[in-house]
Structure formats: structure tokens, C-alpha cells
Amino acid sequence: MINNLFQINNILVIGCGGAGLRAAIEAKLNGLQVSILGKRSKNDSHTVLAAGGINAAFGNVDSEDCWQQHFIDTYLEGYEIADPNQIEIMAKESPFYVEEVDKWGANFKKLKNKKFDQRYFGAHKFRRTCYSGDYTGQSILHALLKKTNELKIPIYDNQYVFDLLVEENICFGAMSFNILTGERTAHLADAVVLCTGGHTRIWKNSSSRKEENTGDGFHLGLKAGCELSDMEMIQFHPTGMVLPKELSGTLVTEAVRGEGGILLNALGERFMAKYDSERLELSTRDKVAMANYTEIIEGRGSDNGGVFLDISHKSKDFIIEKIPKIYRQFIESSLIDISKKPMEVSPTAHYSMGGIKVNAKDHSTRITGLFAAGEVTCGLHGANRLGGNSLAEILIFGAHAGLAASKFSKSIHTQKRSQKAISKCHDNLNSTISKGDENVLLIKQELRNIMWKYCGVIRNEKGLKEGIKRINNIEKQFSSIDIRLELNNQKDLINKLDLQSSIITAKATMLSSLERKESRGAHQRNDFKDCRKDHNFNINISLDDNKFLITKKNIPELKEELKILLNNSDQVEVKKENFLK
């Protein structure tokens, strides 16, 4: 169905999760007309799954904490390939944005002195994670939706964006269709902010739900001319549900371990002492995931292919207060009372740490007028993301991208339009609609199995090459996928477009994994077991265009004051500075 519907805005935000909402709020507060497009219900974006907390170095519980220590923890535990400029911005500004969203209604847990309570999360030297029970992402999303509603920002959460409008390296909007009716709309804008999430659903075991995180944002960026970087860096969360099978991979928040949960193998051994004797269950996610995976593949896992996460040594009242959502999750799914019995867990694909390359400060891309924020971008986390940093990321850099897009909109005198570009987008979508003998759902499942087997927790050259070969075979089946649009049913078309994005991002991930011949953080290869310490391998591996031309680029240089800070990390001076007023 081709329609001549048009919408015109100063700013168009794609994605109605936390990053998208915060970007739109910033644009509206700067006096601009803004609209938000989303394919999920605005009340149920992926942000609700970020359960455990949000990081900010207030020092409310551990007074020694400061932004410098937050920087050190993030940079070092990211294995020194993250963008230090992004980390510095996050570490300095997160207290401001945590306070702001709490005032808007996030309702974080408070101490008796009315300051935010803070819990431990893995690999943080101090307790700096603010939280709302174990539903922090949901509380932040509701606060942002409330603010969005107050500002009368329209959210169209039934739109599937299938192309960005780009002409002469300038982005001037996006094309979408209504997921219920198929009606197409050209959204014209001075600037576009892409906040579409990652691609972790393309693994068999995933903490993402159906029809989210299929890599569509990466694909949109690549088609527009953006650069992808660090695609090999996929965070496997240590604790996804094992049973029931239909919920396999569903997240069991790090808050369980933050509140005292311990990991046991089938022999009853608390095995984390073998892998990190000091931090135990509060080690980095990559190390805990590797520990869980190793226990399972070496035969010390449960009969169902997991290990045990036990918090039954805590009182039932404590568990219900601190992790109420997880308590209900296991009762409702498995009739297991976690105050009496342990949970079975195993690693699950959880977070895309690579993505679209952006400028650290304003999150602009190399396409004029196109900005990006949140999980769709790269640079903040390096080879390992610390729990609690992702919610800080969406607020801080959503605001930065929204502000930069607003400044760009105010700086231009005319809005670019190209009927040729719009017609090309229609033609591209029309060519996707086909009759055939291949079922898209079966192919999607095959791709997920390939990614888990050949590009999972542990990888090697032989497996990656075989995985790429199999993905290429899937790609050949693409044109034979059967699409039925009777009764305005867009489901087949959506699944095919999701599969197309998943194939592209799967191949990008495998090619980058093949190129990084070392083990670093979340990227583990059993044919290159060592982390390359030489400075020449502290690099980001980038994909420059849709032809997958891989280039190696050095990470941004550390500022001299940050070098000094890292060299004297044991003597960090506490500084209570307010960087944003």
C-alpha cells in the first residue's frame, strides 16, 4: 500500500524507549516541534527490562565514591577500548540526570536522610547503583512518559520505520508504515535521532523479547551511510532463566547477586572463588558469564544445563522488598519460591556494546542531521558493560543527542526534501513483498541457532567461518520468503524486514569477531586465549558500509589528566562537584 501521507517536524525521534523519550524531552524543552515513532507500545519498550539500577557516584552509602572512581571502574573493566570522553561525560553527569528523573517520578529508594539508597553491582568499587526495587527501568520509563505527556509530545507507537531519508549525505527524515494497516508515511524533519536498541534477539538464548532488538537500528544506520564499530562485543549476562523452555534466556537481574545471591554448581560448590577470589559473584559480567558457562560445559551444571543462583539464605521479607519482581517471576513461571529454593540460570545474550559510531559529546553520526543514542550506539562500554551504566547512558546521551539535534535544527534555514529519495524507499519496500515457499519464522529460528552455536560465549576461527557460510546460505533464501498481506496483516512483512536486519547485523558481528584475534572482555576465543596487551591492539574494529569493508581504528587518546588519574587509581581524591546546574 503506497500512500502520500506526510508529517513535518523539527526533530524526529525513532524509538520510544528511555533514550528516545529523553531526547524528545530535551528537544521540546528547547522550543522545537518533535514527534516520536515506536513499533512497540510506549508503555512496554525494552527499557522496562533494565531491572537492577542506575549508576551515579553520589557517595551516599560509601562516602569515598566520586566521579573519578566511576570513570576508572568503567574504563578499566571495559578493557581499555571504550571512548574515554564518553565515559568521563557519563561519570560526571549521571548524578544530575538521576536526580532529574527522580523528580519527574522515578521514585528511587531513599535512605532515612532522604538521599538515594545505593546497592552493589558487579565490578564497582563502591555502592553507587540507585534503584527502585528490581524494576528500575520500568520506573524510569514511566517517569519519562509522564514528562512527555506533560509536554504534549506525540508518540506514534504503531510505526515500523523501514528506511531513513538521506540525500547527498544529509538525513531529512524517515519512512514508516503502520503495523496494523500498512499505511505508509514520510516523516520530514530537520534532524533525526535514532534510539532503536541493539541486536541481542538474534541469539537463541536472549534476554530480549520477541520482535525487539533484531538489529533494525544498525541496519538503518548502515543503509544511511553510518559506521558500525565493536560489533563483536556482545554482553552475555551470566544469569538468564533456564526453565520453562519458552522463557529460556529471560533475565534474572544482577540485583539478585547485588543483594547477596550466590552461585552454586551441581556439586553444591560456590565456584566463583575459582574465577575471582576477591569479588566472587560481584565480579564483572564477562567473568561471571564465563564462569557459569565453564561450569556447565565441563559437566558441573544442572541436568537442565544451568547453574544455581541462591538467595534463600536471606529472609523472605528482605527478598520481597529488594527484588519483588524476580520473586514473582519465578512463582508465576515455575511455581518456585526463591526464598526456599535456588534458581536455575545460564548465560544469555543481553546487550549490544557495539553499534553506530557517534561523536562523544553530541552523539552526531557522520551523516549530517542524523544523531543516535542508547544501545544502538557504541563507545561507552568497550569490551564489557558494567551493570547500571546503561540506564545512565540513555538519560545522559539521550539528552545530549536531543540538544544537539535542536541546535542543528535552529542552525539551518531550509529543510531538505527529495521526492526521489522518498520514491526509492517505496521501491525498496515493494521489492521486499514477495510470494514464495520459505517460512520466515523458521529461518529466523535457524539464524538464532547459528549465532548461539558459532558466535556465542566462546568463539574460534573455524566456527566463525562456518557461521558466516551458513548465514550466506540463509541470505540466499531471503527472496523466496512468502509474504501475505491479506486483511492488512503486516506480520509477515515485519518478520521479513526484521530477518533482513538480523542477517546483516549477524554477519557484521561474525566478521568483526573473526578479525579480533584475541580474547578481551565479552569477546572470548579459544584459539586466541590471551588479551593482547600491546597498545597496537587497543583498537576498535569498524565496518564502514553495507559492503562490510573492515577497518581498524585506534581508540580516542586519553586526556593527560585522565592518564594521571588511572596511574594513581589507588589514591583517588573524593571531589563532590556539580557539573550541571
Side-chain angles (χ1 to χ4, degrees):
M1 179 188 293
I2 297 180
N3 308 95
N4 292 315
L5 295 180
F6 288 87
Q7 281 198 347
I8 302 175
N9 290 279
N10 298 123
I11 309 297
L12 177 68
V13 176
I14 302 173
C16 57
L21 294 176
R22 189 60 188 82
I25 289 168
E26 193 66 23
K28 186 70 173 184
L29 291 174
N30 277 273
L32 295 177
Q33 185 180 355
V34 57
S35 289
I36 304 171
L37 305 180
K39 62 181 181 179
R40 292 190 73 92
S41 165
K42 63 186 177 184
N43 296 303
D44 193 35
S45 66
H46 189 66
T47 303
V48 302
L49 298 186
I54 179 170
N55 296 328
F58 287 109
N60 293 342
V61 179
D62 295 320
S63 59
E64 308 97 313
D65 200 14
C66 57
W67 79 262
Q68 293 94 333
Q69 189 62 54
H70 191 183
F71 173 89
I72 290 168
D73 292 347
T74 302
Y75 183 74
L76 293 181
E77 300 300 348
Y79 293 81
E80 302 182 41
I81 64 166
D83 184 340
N85 301 310
Q86 283 197 53
I87 299 173
E88 182 181 6
I89 291 168
M90 180 202 65
K92 285 180 174 179
E93 295 185 8
S94 57
F96 171 86
Y97 286 98
V98 169
E99 288 181 336
E100 177 186 70
V101 79
D102 186 69
K103 290 174 183 175
W104 292 349
N107 194 28
F108 298 132
K109 177 75 172 178
K110 307 295 193 305
L111 299 165
K112 290 181 180 180
N113 62 8
K114 306 300 182 183
K115 293 182 178 181
F116 299 118
D117 193 8
Q118 298 185 276
R119 62 171 36 139
Y120 274 123
F121 252 32
H124 293 277
K125 186 172 183 179
F126 299 113
R127 287 171 284 187
R128 69 166 63 98
T129 306
C130 307
Y131 63 95
S132 300
D134 57 353
Y135 50 89
T136 310
Q138 186 174 347
S139 68
I140 287 174
L141 184 72
H142 287 173
L144 294 173
L145 284 169
K146 179 184 173 189
K147 187 67 175 178
T148 303
N149 188 52
E150 288 174 2
L151 294 172
K152 295 182 171 57
I153 299 171
I155 302 175
Y156 304 98
D157 56 2
N158 58 352
Q159 297 292 315
Y160 191 104
V161 176
F162 60 89
D163 254 324
L164 297 177
L165 292 169
V166 178
E167 185 79 9
E168 297 175 350
N169 209 49
I170 298 172
C171 183
F172 64 96
M175 294 288 295
S176 74
F177 63 82
N178 186 294
I179 63 176
L180 302 176
T181 68
E183 189 173 62
R184 299 182 193 177
T185 304
H187 305 266
L188 306 181
D190 300 334
V192 174
V193 186
L194 201 58
C195 304
T196 49
H199 70 318
T200 48
R201 182 64 189 173
I202 71 174
W203 278 264
K204 183 184 74 169
N205 291 341
S206 171
S207 61
S208 298
R209 301 165 296 186
K210 292 180 181 179
E211 299 170 6
E212 66 180 15
N213 283 348
T214 58
D216 49 342
F218 297 150
H219 191 201
L220 287 171
L222 266 182
K223 287 189 291 182
C226 291
E227 175 186 7
L228 299 184
S229 186
D230 301 342
M231 290 297 289
E232 73 278 15
M233 295 302 176
I234 307 302
Q235 181 165 76
F236 293 92
H237 196 287
T239 54
M241 293 179 71
V242 174
L243 297 173
K245 285 295 182 185
E246 60 270 20
L247 294 179
S248 177
T250 300
L251 186 66
V252 180
T253 173
E254 189 168 319
V256 176
R257 286 177 286 127
E259 297 295 350
I262 61 173
L263 289 164
L264 305 168
N265 61 24
L267 304 177
E269 299 168 332
R270 188 178 179 183
F271 57 83
M272 275 309 301
K274 294 188 295 184
Y275 302 94
D276 190 333
S277 60
E278 292 185 9
R279 297 181 293 190
L280 300 171
E281 287 81 10
L282 292 178
S283 184
T284 55
R285 285 183 174 177
D286 62 301
K287 289 181 179 177
V288 182
M290 276 295 297
N292 289 357
Y293 187 78
T294 301
E295 292 296 307
I296 294 165
I297 64 173
E298 290 185 357
R300 296 183 293 278
S302 69
D303 292 340
N304 298 309
V307 293
F308 298 100
L309 176 59
D310 192 6
I311 198 168
S312 63
H313 51 281
K314 297 285 188 177
S315 72
K316 188 171 185 176
D317 289 343
F318 176 90
I319 291 169
I320 291 174
E321 177 190 356
K322 296 291 187 179
I323 48 172
K325 192 174 179 182
I326 290 295
Y327 178 78
R328 292 184 63 86
Q329 182 173 308
F330 275 86
I331 287 179
E332 292 171 359
S333 66
S334 311
L335 293 178
I336 290 175
D337 182 346
I338 64 171
S339 70
K340 298 177 181 177
K341 294 178 64 177
M343 301 157 259
E344 279 188 84
V345 297
S346 68
T348 181
H350 180 56
Y351 197 89
S352 305
M353 295 179 289
I356 294 175
K357 194 84 169 175
V358 291
N359 174 276
K361 178 64 178 175
D362 63 9
H363 271 227
S364 58
T365 71
R366 66 181 183 184
I367 306 303
T368 303
L370 180 61
F371 303 80
E375 192 177 354
V376 76
T377 66
C378 72
L380 180 63
H381 309 294
N384 179 58
R385 179 177 71 84
L386 295 189
N389 275 352
S390 62
L391 287 175
E393 175 185 22
I394 61 173
L395 294 180
I396 296 164
F397 294 111
H400 278 244
L403 176 61
S406 301
K407 289 180 177 178
F408 177 80
S409 175
K410 292 176 180 180
S411 73
I412 63 175
H413 301 294
T414 58
Q415 188 180 79
K416 185 174 183 63
R417 300 182 188 184
S418 168
Q419 187 58 51
K420 179 182 175 182
I422 294 171
S423 297
K424 183 179 177 181
C425 291
H426 281 300
D427 291 342
N428 288 341
L429 186 61
N430 291 338
S431 68
T432 307
I433 300 169
S434 60
K435 300 295 183 183
D437 55 5
E438 297 286 356
N439 184 282
V440 66
L441 295 179
L442 294 177
I443 298 176
K444 284 176 76 174
Q445 187 58 43
E446 183 182 354
L447 178 64
R448 296 182 73 206
N449 290 332
I450 290 170
M451 291 303 292
W452 187 257
K453 183 174 182 179
Y454 299 109
C455 195
V457 179
I458 297 179
R459 308 157 183 179
N460 57 52
E461 182 175 347
K462 181 180 178 182
L464 290 166
K465 286 183 175 178
E466 177 65 22
I468 292 169
K469 177 181 175 182
R470 292 183 181 230
I471 291 172
N472 288 336
N473 289 335
I474 283 180
E475 200 166 18
K476 293 175 184 176
Q477 299 173 269
F478 187 79
S479 60
S480 301
I481 290 173
D482 192 38
I483 301 294
R484 306 283 175 172
L485 297 179
E486 292 85 356
L487 302 176
N488 286 328
N489 177 19
Q490 310 304 308
K491 204 71 173 176
D492 284 350
L493 179 58
I494 290 170
N495 280 323
K496 188 173 181 180
L497 291 171
D498 282 346
L499 174 62
Q500 185 179 39
S501 297
S502 297
I503 289 170
I504 295 295
T505 53
K507 194 183 295 187
T509 302
M510 284 206 175
L511 287 169
S512 289
S513 299
L514 192 60
E515 190 67 27
R516 186 174 286 282
K517 294 175 174 61
E518 65 164 350
S519 289
R520 183 183 293 259
H523 173 69
Q524 293 292 314
R525 290 186 53 164
N526 58 18
D527 52 348
F528 292 97
K529 295 184 179 181
D530 294 330
C531 181
R532 299 277 292 275
K533 297 298 184 182
D534 53 296
H535 179 70
N536 291 332
F537 220 79
N538 280 15
I539 54 171
N540 300 125
I541 296 172
S542 300
L543 292 140
D544 276 327
D545 59 26
N546 219 357
K547 296 177 183 176
F548 299 118
L549 300 176
I550 293 180
T551 58
K552 293 183 179 181
K553 299 187 177 182
N554 290 329
I555 60 173
E557 277 289 322
L558 277 164
K559 296 177 184 176
E560 195 59 38
E561 59 266 33
L562 295 177
K563 287 182 182 178
I564 295 171
L565 179 64
L566 288 167
N567 290 334
N568 297 281
S569 58
D570 293 333
Q571 305 169 29
V572 174
E573 180 184 351
V574 177
K575 294 182 180 180
K576 302 296 182 182
E577 301 166 277
N578 189 355
F579 295 96
L580 294 172
K581 301 294 183 182

